[in-house]
């Protein structure tokens, strides 16, 4: 898969060192990114005396070539040999997903999440482990059509510039690159014929295309400056990093006499890391790009840099954790309405790389959303560009059914991409005074948190959500009763939502803390999500009153033997107390008692499911306050 070279070739290496004489040749090929030949060598070793190391290297070869079935097979082998590296679990999960094995994908993502619980990818998965059906069920936003411009080789990175479409391709042969035994990449231009199909592909001049890789491109608003990616080849010299690896750099060219000339290197290029995938904002003042420069969050991050009026550049800025993950973020594109589109394998997707979108407003980024099928597939989907006015664009993919390795697909918007700003104000319920510093959590309709913000000096936070989407909002601050709201976004551009919080004293009576019922599932003692929200109120009360002592009493329904229910209620009482302790309350201030089925709230002989659930409850008795 040729385009993977443009996806930052140095990231494919893992500083591999040979383990013995038999692996030296294969390792050498692997470290030179000649994955086709390396795989052949590892295969021969695997037949005779393979181990977990060889299996992993073989799997990595196929992973980098996006031969998903072969990669899945060898990742399975290395894991069966005892390889428990989190990165192996993650890559194996991605290959399972690409092969449509979603249940097994979830199994190994869970292993990855357990091994690296602080990884953003793990956190996102744990919040919503069954996210794939949700993405597949999204309303279709785009239609896609395989372009007539494609060849049997790799074609991607299409972008319109007036009546011309520029793209990257390996179509014209020439010397081959060892990654996947395809020719080197060049930049081409094409026009539409009388039938509205792209045709007449012409390679750009030798000022732009060299014997090394080129692609992808972006343009200044006036069309006179082109920004493009090339290997580190400039002024007739090809440079490598200290480790002997080639890197990608960004260059500019200007239009003169109908040709692109005057190629210049941008000042933030570096021999030791890659900088590529340019995207210029509609006002021409910002250049977005991808890089694996030191200090990033993941394998490749998105950055931006100011383009000054004289053509010089500011200092590159990482787009931060709202956009970047520990995985790979590539191919940014910024549209005329300030929507940032990009490809990632770190955000929750349905294949390898998926296309995502986030609105840019006042230097911050809205929620990252997966653009769903058919724009995305279980393969790699990338280099998305889109004209907000014509509602047309391009995406590249190596999905099944294409004409070649990577194909360009023409995109047409059929349902609007719609956002609503939730403008939330948190106030004191009794006085109406604004509450700055309150925590507001936005969750999806399943209760999975998708963002947390703190109210400003005006008591406000703003969340950007999709139109016609159900969500939950939770607001909390010390000294007040937390509040939860179910909200629907509708389709108005902005919706104002007030969340009044009652002083914590409202839920304190003489002998008890009055909460909404704390329910348990049948035959279970774990704290449910809805119960955790209510228990946080107890935490708030005990935080404000540091001498308060609480006794927790829990109850079961009538089903099952009384002796068993007694033991179950004791477990429920203990788990409730443990939750409160985990929030920082001293254990000496808490006691618990399981009451079993002895004191039902509803004394019924043939109880309904609802009546049974009401009997499975907890009470919070104030033993002392001062």
């Amino acid at each position: 898969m040729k385009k993977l070279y443009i996806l930052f070739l140095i990231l494919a290496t893992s500083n591999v060192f040979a383990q013995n004489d038999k692996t030296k040749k294969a390792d050498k090929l692997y470290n030179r990114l000649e994955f086709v030949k390396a795989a052949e060598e590892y295969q021969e070793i695997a037949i005779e005396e393979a181990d977990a190391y060889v299996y992993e290297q073989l799997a990595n070869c196929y992973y980098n070539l996006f031969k998903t079935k072969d990669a899945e097979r060898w990742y399975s082998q290395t894991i069966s040999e005892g390889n428990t590296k989190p990165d192996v679990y993650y890559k194996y999960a991605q290959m399972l997903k690409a092969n449509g094995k979603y249940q097994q994908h979830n199994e190994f993502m869970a292993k990855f999440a357990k091994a690296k619980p602080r990884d953003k990818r793990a956190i996102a998965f744990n919040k919503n482990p069954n996210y794939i059906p949700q993405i597949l069920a999204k309303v279709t936003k785009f239609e896609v059509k395989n372009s007539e411009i494609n060849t049997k080789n790799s074609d991607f990175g299409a972008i319109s510039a007036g009546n011309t479409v520029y793209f990257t391709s390996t179509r014209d042969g020439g010397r081959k690159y060892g990654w996947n035994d395809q020719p080197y990449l060049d930049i081409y231009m094409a026009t539409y014929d009388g039938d509205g199909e792209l045709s007449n592909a012409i390679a750009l001049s030798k000022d732009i295309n060299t014997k090394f890789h080129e692609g992808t491109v972006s343009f200044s608003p006036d069309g006179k400056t082109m920004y493009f990616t090339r290997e580190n080849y400039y002024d007739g010299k090809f440079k490598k990093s200290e480790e002997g690896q080639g890197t990608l750099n960004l260059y500019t060219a200007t239009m003169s006499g109908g040709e692109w000339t005057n190629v210049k290197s941008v000042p933030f290029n570096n021999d030791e890391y890659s900088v590529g995938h340019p995207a210029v904002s509609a006002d021409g003042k910002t250049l977005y790009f991808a890089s694996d420069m030191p200090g990033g969050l993941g394998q490749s991050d998105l950055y931006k840099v100011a383009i000054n009026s004289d053509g010089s550049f500011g200092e590159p800025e990482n787009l931060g954790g709202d956009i970047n993950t520990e995985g790979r973020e590539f191919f940014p594109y910024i549209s005329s309405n300030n929507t940032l589109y990009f490809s990632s394998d770190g955000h929750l997707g349905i294949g390898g790389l998926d296309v995502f979108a986030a609105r840019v407003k006042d230097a911050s980024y809205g929620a990252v959303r997966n653009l769903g099928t058919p724009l995305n597939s279980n393969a790699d989907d990338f280099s998305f560009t889109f004209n907000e006015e014509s509602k047309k664009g391009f995406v590249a993919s190596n999905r099944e059914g294409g004409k070649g390795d990577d194909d360009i697909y023409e995109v047409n918007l059929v349902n609007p991409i719609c956002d609503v700003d939730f403008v939330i104000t948190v106030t004191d319920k009794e006085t109406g005074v604004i509450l700055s510093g309150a925590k507001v959590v936005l969750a999806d309709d399943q209760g999975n948190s998708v963002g947390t913000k703190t109210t400003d000096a005006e008591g406000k936070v703003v969340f950007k959500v999709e139109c016609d989407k159900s969500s939950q909002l939770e607001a909390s601050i010390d000294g007040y009763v937390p509040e939860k709201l179910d909200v629907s976004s509708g389709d108005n551009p902005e919706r104002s939502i007030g969340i009044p919080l009652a002083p914590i004293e409202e839920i304190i009576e003489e002998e008890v803390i009055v909460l909404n019922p704390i329910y348990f599932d049948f035959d279970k003692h774990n704290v449910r999500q809805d119960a955790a929200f209510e228990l946080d109120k107890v935490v708030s009360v005990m935080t404000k009153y540091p001498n308060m002592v609480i006794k927790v009493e829990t109850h079961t329904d009538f089903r099952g033997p009384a002796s068993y229910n007694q033991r179950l209620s004791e477990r429920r009482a203990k788990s409730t107390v443990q939750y409160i302790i985990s929030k920082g309350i001293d254990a000496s201030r808490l006691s618990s008692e399981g009451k079993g089925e002895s004191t039902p709230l509803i004394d019924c002989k043939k109880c309904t499911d609802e009546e049974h659930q009401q009997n499975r409850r907890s009470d919070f008795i104030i033993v002392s306050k001062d």
Side-chain angles (χ1 to χ4, degrees):
M1 197 169 44
K2 176 62 69 175
K3 63 100 175 138
L4 275 178
Y5 179 87
I6 292 298
L7 301 188
F8 292 82
L9 58 91
I10 62 174
L11 295 177
T13 67
S14 56
N15 296 320
V16 176
F17 298 96
Q19 293 188 340
N20 54 53
D21 290 340
K22 291 186 176 181
T23 61
K24 283 183 178 179
K25 182 178 180 181
D27 288 342
K28 186 175 181 180
L29 290 166
Y30 185 93
N31 285 325
R32 290 192 340 222
L33 312 180
E34 297 183 21
F35 298 120
V36 173
K37 294 180 180 178
E40 293 173 356
E41 295 295 327
Y42 287 127
Q43 285 268 25
E44 290 188 11
I45 300 170
I47 293 172
E48 298 177 0
E49 49 177 310
D51 56 15
Y53 170 79
V54 172
Y55 291 146
E56 181 184 350
Q57 289 304 101
L58 190 50
N60 286 338
C61 286
Y62 290 123
Y63 179 87
N64 291 321
L65 295 167
F66 204 74
K67 291 191 173 181
T68 60
K69 290 182 172 60
D70 290 319
E72 177 193 329
R73 173 191 173 190
W74 294 110
Y75 281 130
S76 176
Q77 284 283 77
T78 191
I79 290 170
S80 69
E81 289 290 322
N83 191 335
T84 58
K85 295 179 184 177
D87 186 55
V88 169
Y89 285 151
Y90 185 80
K91 289 179 178 178
Y92 184 41
Q94 302 318 297
M95 294 299 93
L96 289 166
K97 180 172 62 176
N99 294 330
K101 299 178 180 180
Y102 296 140
Q103 185 173 345
Q104 289 175 267
H105 160 267
N106 284 7
E107 176 186 345
F108 280 91
M109 275 300 294
K111 291 178 182 288
F112 166 74
K114 184 177 181 180
K116 294 188 71 175
R118 296 184 180 180
D119 190 298
K120 282 187 64 177
R121 297 167 296 179
I123 293 169
F125 174 78
N126 283 335
K127 286 181 178 178
N128 192 7
N130 297 311
Y131 69 91
I132 293 176
Q134 297 171 21
I135 295 175
L136 296 176
K138 279 177 174 280
V139 174
T140 298
K141 300 291 186 185
F142 298 93
E143 292 177 341
V144 298
K145 184 189 79 167
N146 194 289
S147 175
E148 291 296 326
I149 203 69
N150 291 312
T151 63
K152 66 179 182 179
N153 287 338
S154 184
D155 304 281
F156 64 95
I159 184 172
S160 293
N163 295 320
T164 303
V165 173
Y166 290 79
F167 65 99
T168 302
S169 179
T170 62
R171 64 186 52 218
D172 284 343
R175 70 191 187 105
K176 294 183 178 181
Y177 179 61
W179 182 300
N180 64 349
D181 210 28
Q182 280 199 35
Y184 277 65
L185 295 158
D186 282 330
I187 300 169
Y188 292 77
M189 54 189 292
T191 55
Y192 290 97
D193 61 23
D195 295 325
E197 302 289 353
L198 281 174
S199 61
N200 303 318
I202 302 171
L204 300 193
S205 71
K206 292 184 178 180
D207 285 350
I208 303 300
N209 289 324
T210 67
K211 61 183 179 180
F212 298 99
H213 287 293
E214 283 82 27
T216 55
V217 306
S218 186
F219 299 92
S220 60
D222 61 9
K224 295 180 180 179
T225 301
M226 179 173 71
Y227 301 78
F228 67 99
T229 309
R230 179 195 286 168
E231 279 190 89
N232 193 354
Y233 178 76
Y234 186 58
D235 281 346
K237 297 179 180 179
F238 179 72
K239 295 183 179 180
K240 293 184 178 182
S241 69
E242 290 184 358
E243 294 182 354
Q245 297 293 347
T247 58
L248 304 182
N249 281 184
L250 278 177
Y251 299 89
T252 63
T254 53
M255 176 61 74
S256 178
E259 293 286 343
W260 291 106
T261 61
N262 191 28
V263 173
K264 294 182 179 180
S265 173
V266 302
F268 46 90
N269 283 330
N270 194 288
D271 296 343
E272 299 304 316
Y273 53 79
S274 288
V275 176
H277 304 173
V280 181
S281 62
D283 61 8
K285 296 180 179 180
T286 306
L287 173 67
Y288 293 82
F289 63 93
S291 177
D292 63 337
M293 67 175 66
L297 302 179
Q299 298 173 60
S300 175
D301 283 7
L302 299 188
Y303 291 78
K304 67 177 180 179
V305 62
I307 304 174
N308 301 320
S309 57
D310 61 358
S312 63
F313 296 92
E315 291 295 321
E317 300 175 36
N318 190 293
L319 297 194
D322 289 340
I323 300 297
N324 293 314
T325 69
E326 289 88 344
R328 303 178 297 174
E329 278 69 51
F330 296 124
F331 295 104
Y333 178 79
I334 188 77
S335 71
S336 60
N337 73 353
N338 252 11
T339 298
L340 176 67
Y341 299 97
F342 63 97
S343 289
S344 171
D345 67 359
H347 292 281
L348 298 180
I350 58 173
L353 292 169
D354 273 19
V355 178
F356 297 85
R359 291 294 299 273
V360 183
K361 185 176 182 181
D362 299 328
S364 64
Y365 302 93
V368 172
R369 81 178 58 161
N370 187 300
L371 293 183
T373 60
L375 188 69
N376 290 317
S377 67
N378 63 349
D380 280 330
D381 305 288
F382 59 99
S383 68
F384 178 74
T385 61
F386 185 67
N387 186 306
E388 300 285 359
E389 287 67 45
S390 67
K391 308 301 181 187
K392 297 182 182 296
F394 301 95
V395 71
S397 180
N398 61 343
R399 66 187 64 182
E400 291 185 2
K403 298 179 182 179
D405 189 358
D406 303 311
D407 276 8
I408 295 168
Y409 289 80
E410 297 174 25
V411 171
N412 182 41
L413 183 70
V414 293
N415 283 301
I417 301 173
C418 179
D419 289 309
V420 175
D421 282 339
F422 280 171
V423 182
I424 300 152
T425 305
V426 182
T427 60
D428 185 303
K429 183 178 180 180
E430 293 185 356
T431 66
V433 172
I434 60 172
L435 296 176
S436 62
K439 183 176 77 171
V440 182
V441 179
L442 174 69
D444 62 20
D445 56 359
Q446 302 299 311
N448 302 303
S449 174
V450 296
T452 301
K453 295 184 178 182
T454 302
T455 55
D456 59 19
E458 297 179 346
K460 295 183 182 296
V461 296
V462 178
F463 286 106
K464 193 175 292 292
V465 299
E466 291 185 59
C467 292
D468 299 317
K469 188 172 184 178
S470 297
S471 304
Q472 295 178 356
L473 291 169
E474 295 180 10
S476 61
I477 190 172
D478 288 346
Y480 289 83
V481 181
E483 190 64 53
K484 180 187 292 186
L485 297 178
D486 292 324
V487 291
S488 179
S489 55
D491 59 5
N492 290 324
E494 184 173 299
R495 180 179 176 188
S496 297
I497 302 171
I499 305 181
L501 300 184
I504 201 70
E505 286 73 17
E506 185 173 282
I507 62 172
I508 302 174
E509 294 187 356
E510 288 186 5
E511 296 182 353
V512 295
I513 298 175
V514 181
L515 305 177
N516 293 317
I518 302 291
Y519 293 134
F520 292 90
D521 290 326
F522 173 66
D523 202 33
K524 303 293 183 183
H525 63 271
N526 59 290
V527 175
R528 300 189 336 189
Q529 187 176 51
D530 56 349
F533 178 76
E534 293 300 317
L535 292 179
D536 286 341
K537 297 178 183 179
V538 178
V539 174
S540 296
V541 171
M542 299 185 76
T543 299
K544 183 167 184 178
Y545 295 96
N547 295 320
M548 181 179 285
V549 177
I550 296 293
K551 180 182 180 182
V552 179
E553 293 184 351
T554 59
H555 308 262
T556 68
D557 57 35
F558 293 111
R559 290 176 290 186
S563 58
Y564 175 81
N565 286 336
Q566 179 61 37
R567 293 192 298 271
L568 177 61
S569 68
E570 290 170 359
R571 294 198 300 272
R572 288 175 175 174
K574 289 178 180 178
S575 66
T576 300
V577 166
Q578 287 300 307
Y579 177 87
I580 298 172
I581 292 172
S582 74
K583 295 294 184 175
I585 302 301
D586 193 280
S588 64
R589 300 171 58 197
L590 292 155
S591 62
S592 64
E593 182 181 359
K595 305 287 283 187
E597 61 184 55
S598 62
T599 54
L601 188 65
I602 302 174
D603 193 358
C604 47
K605 293 182 179 180
K606 292 185 178 180
C607 299
T608 65
D609 287 343
E610 183 179 349
E611 289 170 334
H612 279 309
Q613 179 153 285
Q614 290 183 59
N615 282 332
R616 299 192 300 269
R617 69 197 191 280
S618 296
D619 297 323
F620 298 85
I621 300 168
I622 300 173
V623 177
S624 64
K625 185 175 180 181
D626 300 321

